[in-house]
Amino acid sequence: MNQNESSAAQVGPSIHSIGYGTYVLIWIGLVVFTGLTVVVSGVDLKPLTATAALTIAAIKAILVLLYFMHLKYEPSLFKTLVVVVVIALTTFIIFTFLDVLFR
Amino acid sequence: MNQTANVTSEMHHSDEIGAKLGMWLFLFTELLLFGGMFILYAIYRASHSHEFFLAASELDTFIGTINTLALLTSSLTVALSIEALRRGNRKLSITMLIVTILLGIIFMINKYFEWSAKIHHGIYPGGEVLLRMSDGEMLFFNLYYVMTGLHGLHVLVGIVVLSAMLLFITRGNQSSAIKLENSGLYWHLVDIIWIFLFPLFYLIS
């Protein structure tokens, strides 16, 4: 019984286990994207510079969220909450910009 | 008997979900805290883009890149530490946790040298060189100090929290798994914030 409980705490039935290799692969991806963002910043894209940098940063953040932070394997409640918060933050940013641009 | 075991494991499970949910809610407040500053940065960068470019060229891209790699790698090691603890490999978990803490310390040491060089050149809020610069450059450096400063504070807190976890795990505390996971979530959030800070401050050229 006691043993049963402690094993359930360590590898609960619904806790999805990610292999060590997957984590290393994600890390390699993150390092590659970091290199890419440094290289891209050296290229003169004028208006697209910030867009390119933010797009790469967003991809990296999504990789960290989904795999390192396990969001991919969490109940849908967690995913919904994250999406809601990101939408809220984006709304704040857009509306602040609207105010500044059309003042 | 079997049913009791099921119920206990069920309760344990939902308790872990509750603990994690609480952590995520806290992370959301952190996101909004930094989000406000990112809005400020975006607005001022839009209105003073040329001065922001000038000011950003003062920052050392090399140190920024090294620090990015240090934080990304520390995110990997803390994830590995959690996975190892789940699989009952306590030794690997402890090793990975120590590597994570060391990488956090390396990040802070780099930050120390970076800031001291800037301060030495008179570029700090109220510093004589900074006061002679244009409004846009002043805004850039003030935002730089506030945002990377607050982020650095989070790294420091993360180092303290992870060190406490290290103590828990070496003592063989049974409930350390979920605690380590939540500390890991915090560490990853700090990493995500840096992922955005890095291109916004170091890579404008």
Side-chain angles (χ1 to χ4, degrees):
Chain A
M1 167 71 195
N2 199 10
Q3 202 187 356
N4 216 346
E5 205 181 58
S6 75
S7 76
Q10 275 179 356
V11 270
S14 72
I15 295 176
H16 191 282
S17 180
I18 302 185
Y20 296 131
T22 313
Y23 285 120
V24 175
L25 275 180
I26 296 297
W27 174 76
I28 292 173
L30 289 168
V31 171
V32 169
F33 275 116
T34 304
L36 190 66
T37 195
V38 173
V39 171
V40 166
S41 77
V43 184
D44 191 15
L45 295 167
K46 278 292 175 214
L48 287 176
T49 314
T51 318
L54 286 177
T55 309
I56 295 173
I59 295 171
K60 286 166 74 181
I62 289 169
L63 283 178
V64 172
L65 271 170
L66 285 181
Y67 293 94
F68 283 178
M69 294 175 90
H70 267 228
L71 199 59
K72 197 178 169 194
Y73 309 101
E74 297 295 357
S76 55
L77 170 68
F78 288 75
K79 294 171 191 157
T80 316
L81 280 175
V82 170
V83 172
V84 167
V85 168
V86 170
I87 290 174
L89 188 59
T90 317
T91 315
F92 295 160
I93 295 175
I94 291 173
F95 274 78
T96 315
F97 258 98
L98 287 180
D99 178 42
V100 170
L101 291 177
F102 300 108
R103 195 175 288 192
Chain B
M1 172 65 193
N2 197 15
Q3 201 168 0
T4 334
N6 268 343
V7 169
T8 343
S9 103
E10 189 75 21
M11 273 168 65
H12 212 117
H13 174 56
S14 64
D15 183 36
E16 288 208 348
I17 289 193
K20 240 189 232 179
L21 186 60
M23 192 62 201
W24 275 97
L25 289 178
F26 166 66
L27 295 186
F28 293 153
T29 69
E30 290 276 43
L31 199 64
L32 293 180
L33 168 70
F34 278 96
M37 284 187 283
F38 277 111
I39 295 177
L40 210 57
Y41 171 93
I43 301 282
Y44 283 134
R45 179 167 168 179
S47 58
H48 299 84
S49 53
H50 185 63
E51 287 100 323
F52 266 50
F53 292 150
L54 278 181
S57 59
E58 296 272 330
L59 294 186
D60 192 336
T61 311
F62 181 71
I63 292 191
T65 312
I66 294 293
N67 266 353
T68 306
L69 293 177
L71 271 199
L72 286 179
T73 311
S74 75
S75 257
L76 168 71
T77 52
V78 83
L80 291 178
S81 170
I82 293 164
E83 190 61 37
L85 191 68
R86 268 204 199 145
R87 294 182 185 192
N89 190 344
R90 184 185 303 211
K91 207 173 162 196
L92 180 65
S93 178
I94 289 173
T95 314
M96 284 299 140
L97 202 50
I98 291 173
V99 175
T100 310
I101 294 167
L102 286 179
L103 286 167
I105 292 171
I106 288 175
F107 180 91
M108 289 313 288
I109 291 173
N110 274 339
K111 204 91 253 173
Y112 166 76
F113 282 118
E114 202 187 0
W115 275 35
S116 351
K118 283 277 157 306
I119 291 168
H120 187 71
H121 288 117
I123 303 176
Y124 54 92
E128 71 265 36
V129 177
L130 187 62
L131 286 176
R132 272 187 264 118
M133 289 182 176
S134 64
D135 285 355
E137 286 170 286
M138 261 194 247
L139 281 169
F140 178 89
F141 280 113
N142 287 335
L143 280 170
Y144 162 77
Y145 276 109
V146 173
M147 291 175 82
T148 64
L150 191 66
H151 177 266
L153 195 64
H154 278 76
V155 175
L156 266 184
V157 171
I159 291 171
V160 172
V161 170
L162 289 178
S163 306
M165 288 308 124
L166 186 62
L167 212 66
F168 273 129
I169 296 168
T170 39
R171 281 183 183 169
N173 194 321
Q174 266 299 316
S175 62
S176 12
I178 184 66
K179 287 189 190 128
L180 181 64
E181 259 184 70
N182 280 346
S183 317
L185 285 177
Y186 178 79
W187 192 256
H188 292 311
L189 182 90
V190 173
D191 186 23
I192 288 182
I193 289 162
W194 182 258
I195 285 175
F196 284 95
L197 286 178
F198 171 58
L200 291 180
F201 281 102
Y202 294 85
L203 298 180
I204 320 178
S205 50

